[in-house]
């Protein structure tokens, strides 16, 4: 019998896109995610391929309601530096087949929420990495112009922008976590 793949649901919205702005942020208080109706989940990421212009990874999400979502993600960077990705859902059988081929492992708690600033709604991801004080906030919008309208000084926590700093993308963050 073929394994039934999980289907995306409104309770588990898609994450910010690959061109989101990235910031280092101090830990947010427990009330902030609650006040912004954040969806949270434990995220385990295991990389199959880690090249300069391409990476493949498995993303295993466990939501607080016990549901699980697994994706086989491929990200590429074009000549202009723009990142794009494919994120198909996979079943647990395929996940178990691919897992032994992985070489890099990362665990984090992710909160996804909307944040409104100057009448613009931004989609945000806030990551708390296991065994580290490093916290990352990704801020996204439908287009680059709107993304750039986000004013970090107006956010209710101090932000340090690291957008474009390759150390904060994908598997490379493992090295930063090891030194923090």
């Amino acid at each position: 019998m073929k394994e039934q793949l999980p289907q995306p649901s409104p309770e588990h919205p898609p994450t910010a896109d690959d061109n989101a702005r990235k910031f280092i942020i101090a830990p947010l208080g427990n009330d902030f995610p609650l006040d912004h109706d954040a969806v949270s989940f434990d995220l385990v990421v295991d990389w199959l391929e880690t090249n300069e212009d391409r990476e493949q990874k498995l993303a295993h999400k466990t939501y607080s309601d016990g549901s699980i979502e697994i994706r086989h993600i491929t990200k590429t960077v074009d000549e202009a530096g723009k990142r794009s990705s494919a994120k198909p859902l996979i079943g647990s059988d395929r996940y178990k087949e691919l897992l032994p081929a992985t070489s890099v492992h990362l665990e984090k708690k992710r909160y996804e929420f909307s944040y409104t600033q100057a009448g613009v709604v931004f989609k945000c991801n806030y990551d708390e990495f296991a065994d580290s004080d490093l916290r990352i906030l990704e801020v996204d919008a439908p287009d680059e112009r709107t993304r750039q309208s986000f004013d970090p000084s107006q956010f209710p926590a101090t932000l340090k922008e690291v957008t474009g700093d390759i150390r904060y993308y994908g598997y490379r963050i493992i090295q930063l976590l090891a030194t923090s």
Side-chain angles (χ1 to χ4, degrees):
M1 185 170 129
K2 188 173 179 175
E3 180 180 17
Q4 187 74 12
L5 290 179
Q7 298 300 310
S9 69
E11 296 84 37
H12 305 148
T15 59
D17 91 6
D18 295 322
N19 298 302
R21 292 176 67 188
K22 289 185 181 253
F23 301 88
I24 295 173
I25 182 173
L28 289 175
N30 291 337
D31 290 341
F32 187 89
L34 292 173
D35 291 346
H36 291 83
D37 297 323
V39 172
S40 66
F41 50 89
D42 294 320
L43 178 57
V44 176
V45 184
D46 290 282
W47 278 266
L48 294 155
E49 182 180 4
T50 57
N51 294 321
E52 287 293 316
D53 297 330
R54 178 182 157 91
E55 66 181 64
Q56 276 192 74
K57 61 187 175 183
L58 302 173
H60 188 286
K61 298 178 182 180
T62 305
Y63 292 91
S64 57
D65 65 5
S67 62
I68 293 174
E69 178 182 296
I70 308 169
R71 294 187 181 271
H72 182 181
I73 300 170
T74 302
K75 294 191 176 196
T76 56
V77 180
D78 68 16
E79 299 82 32
K82 183 170 170 94
R83 293 167 47 94
S84 62
S85 63
K87 302 177 182 183
L89 288 166
I90 63 171
S92 60
D93 291 343
R94 181 69 178 141
Y95 175 73
K96 289 174 189 172
E97 287 173 18
L98 292 170
L99 197 57
T102 63
S103 60
V104 180
H105 178 82
L106 175 69
E107 296 180 24
K108 60 186 172 181
K109 178 81 168 186
R110 172 164 281 179
Y111 298 86
E112 297 177 343
F113 59 92
S114 295
Y115 177 76
T116 303
Q117 185 183 83
V120 177
V121 178
F122 296 93
K123 188 176 0 174
C124 298
N125 292 338
Y126 169 68
D127 292 336
E128 298 176 337
F129 296 91
D131 303 320
S132 174
D133 292 333
L134 180 65
R135 304 292 185 255
I136 299 290
L137 179 71
E138 295 180 354
V139 178
D140 201 8
D143 58 64
E144 187 60 26
R145 182 174 172 213
T146 307
R147 249 188 303 279
Q148 291 306 317
S149 74
F150 175 77
D151 182 354
S153 69
Q154 299 301 308
F155 195 79
T158 302
L159 302 177
K160 176 186 173 195
E161 187 150 15
V162 294
T163 303
D165 185 337
I166 198 72
R167 297 175 301 166
Y168 293 91
Y169 289 82
Y171 64 92
R172 295 169 192 92
I173 202 160
I174 297 291
Q175 293 175 328
L176 287 177
L177 295 173
T179 61
S180 67

